[in-house]
Amino acid sequence: MRAAIVGVSGAVGQEFLRVLDERNFAMDDLTLFGSSRSAGREYTFRGKEYIVKELKHNDDFKGIDVAFVSAGGGVSKDFAGTITKYGAAMIDNSSTFRMDDDVPLVVPEVNAEDALNRPRGIIANPNCTTIQMVVVLHAIEKLSHIKRVHVATYQAASGAGASAMAELKKQYEQLVSGETPTVEKFYYQLAYNLIPQVDVFTDNGYTKEEMKMYNETRKIMHSDIEVSATCVRIPVMRAHSEATWIETERPLSIEEVREAFSRAEGIILQDDPQNKDYPMPLFVAGKDPVYAGRIRKDLTNPNGLTFWTVSDQIKKGAALNAVQIAEYLVKAGNLK
């Protein structure tokens, strides 16, 4: 088993290294790729030093079984042919291929088997907010079909990359020192603020991030589910939170939903509001599962429920989901 990471120097690339090690992913060799700026850097993995190679259009991917790619949409589009040329499974973290009909969009807890059919050798990793939401929706869908979803997301700085996390930290330091905060990665100062815009606006008034949640959820769940989202950037480092309202075909009891969450793969039920026990990004950062709590009936709809979820954006929202896809392919004997 030979694996590769493309974009290893970024926040998700570094998380790939940690997750592969934590999960003891079985492989005999690892190759690291990066831009010309990153080439030559050394990273330690399982006690061995690896030097980053510059990503080029050559035969470097010959013999590689799976490539974890997180280097931006432009790189993914440009190098997909090079990466998959010799049969490597390309698990891509960008949005480039997500809605292509011949590219599966996969969350292993929901639709792992879709990864087995990849005509172009590419498997798309969904948007982080979508991953978090569909893991929970899937558990409810088993009880009753979900007709519609309203969701408000509270997204950490990590969604915009390592430099965005560094900028948030720097802003707090600058403000404490009485300096004017640096604003480069976000539309406005994020420290002590909320920004009700993630990605650019489309013609219908929703942002691209919000439309990803609509389109990707339907593709992953193979469903006619309707999703209306409002995505907000908040001054938190790396765990996203979501307040979700759903309408199902039949009324569901709180007990049914709690039981479904308790037995579902990838979900931790944390729902004891009387004792102030509910998921929070401060405590979920670095954890694998999606944490769910504050489950209650929607007061406006007899078939409605509302709940709160938190998940680590870099981990489950990116690197972990991709590694879980690879683990499934290994278990299914589906790699070359």
Side-chain angles (χ1 to χ4, degrees):
M1 170 64 66
R2 296 186 61 197
I5 299 174
V6 178
V8 68
S9 298
V12 176
Q14 290 294 290
E15 195 70 14
F16 276 133
L17 288 174
R18 286 188 286 269
V19 171
L20 288 168
D21 190 32
E22 287 175 3
R23 298 179 72 84
N24 196 29
F25 185 77
M27 57 186 171
D28 304 299
D29 190 34
L30 177 64
T31 307
L32 307 180
F33 293 96
S35 65
S36 57
R37 298 188 308 275
S38 299
R41 291 186 188 178
E42 291 188 8
Y43 293 102
T44 303
F45 179 75
R46 295 178 181 170
K48 182 179 176 181
E49 296 295 322
Y50 291 87
I51 298 175
V52 179
K53 301 178 69 172
E54 183 177 353
L55 184 64
K56 294 181 178 180
H57 290 292
N58 52 27
D59 292 333
D60 280 345
F61 287 87
K62 191 173 186 178
I64 287 176
D65 299 285
V66 60
F68 302 101
V69 182
S70 186
V75 171
S76 293
K77 185 176 182 179
D78 189 20
F79 282 89
T82 297
I83 293 169
T84 60
K85 181 179 180 180
Y86 294 102
M90 174 180 171
I91 304 177
D92 184 50
N93 199 56
S94 79
S95 61
T96 302
F97 305 107
R98 288 177 186 160
M99 297 312 299
D100 290 6
D101 291 338
D102 54 357
V103 175
L105 184 66
V106 177
V107 176
E109 294 91 341
V110 181
N111 65 327
E113 63 281 356
D114 286 1
L116 301 177
N117 181 24
R118 48 183 189 280
R120 294 161 61 184
I122 304 169
I123 302 165
N125 219 30
N127 190 50
C128 48
T129 51
T130 306
I131 291 174
Q132 175 176 334
M133 184 172 70
V134 298
V135 168
V136 178
L137 294 184
H138 181 64
I140 297 172
E141 181 73 15
K142 292 179 178 180
L143 302 176
S144 177
H145 176 55
I146 302 169
K147 297 170 63 176
R148 57 183 53 87
V149 175
H150 294 272
V151 59
T153 72
Y154 305 87
Q155 298 181 217
S158 58
S163 59
M165 297 168 72
E167 179 169 299
L168 177 59
K169 182 180 178 183
K170 185 177 182 180
Q171 285 180 354
Y172 280 119
E173 293 170 348
Q174 290 171 324
L175 289 164
V176 168
S177 300
E179 303 173 27
T180 300
T182 300
V183 179
E184 295 174 349
K185 292 297 295 184
F186 302 107
Y187 302 112
Y188 297 94
Q189 171 190 318
L190 184 59
Y192 302 113
N193 191 24
L194 301 176
I195 303 173
Q197 178 184 356
V198 179
D199 213 325
V200 298
F201 284 101
T202 65
D203 291 341
N204 65 4
Y206 287 84
T207 65
K208 287 178 67 176
E209 184 86 353
E210 292 158 356
M211 292 309 300
K212 288 174 188 176
M213 297 191 75
Y214 177 88
N215 292 311
E216 292 180 19
T217 299
R218 292 164 71 91
K219 181 175 180 178
I220 295 164
M221 297 184 69
H222 302 286
S223 171
D224 61 356
I225 186 173
E226 299 282 357
V227 178
S228 181
T230 299
C231 295
V232 182
R233 187 75 69 189
I234 67 171
V236 165
M237 274 297 175
R238 59 176 286 166
H240 286 357
S241 304
E242 296 178 3
T244 309
W245 293 259
I246 65 167
E247 180 185 345
T248 52
E249 285 189 339
R250 71 169 179 87
L252 296 177
S253 70
I254 302 303
E255 291 70 26
E256 280 183 285
V257 176
R258 284 183 176 142
E259 175 62 25
F261 286 173
S262 296
R263 64 173 180 261
E265 181 184 0
I267 301 175
I268 295 294
L269 179 65
Q270 187 180 357
D271 187 37
D272 187 7
Q274 297 306 315
N275 290 305
K276 302 179 180 62
D277 188 21
Y278 32 67
M280 289 182 281
L282 178 64
F283 305 109
V284 170
K287 304 289 181 62
D288 288 358
V290 176
Y291 287 73
R294 294 222 55 207
I295 305 164
R296 57 207 188 276
K297 295 290 289 185
D298 187 338
L299 296 178
T300 70
N301 188 331
N303 286 18
L305 285 166
T306 183
F307 49 85
W308 172 258
T309 61
V310 183
S311 184
D312 187 302
Q313 180 271 328
I314 305 177
K315 207 162 196 184
K316 180 54 184 171
L320 174 60
N321 195 78
V323 172
Q324 288 175 312
I325 293 171
E327 290 173 341
Y328 175 80
L329 296 178
V330 170
K331 186 176 180 179
N334 192 248
L335 293 175
K336 68 177 180 66

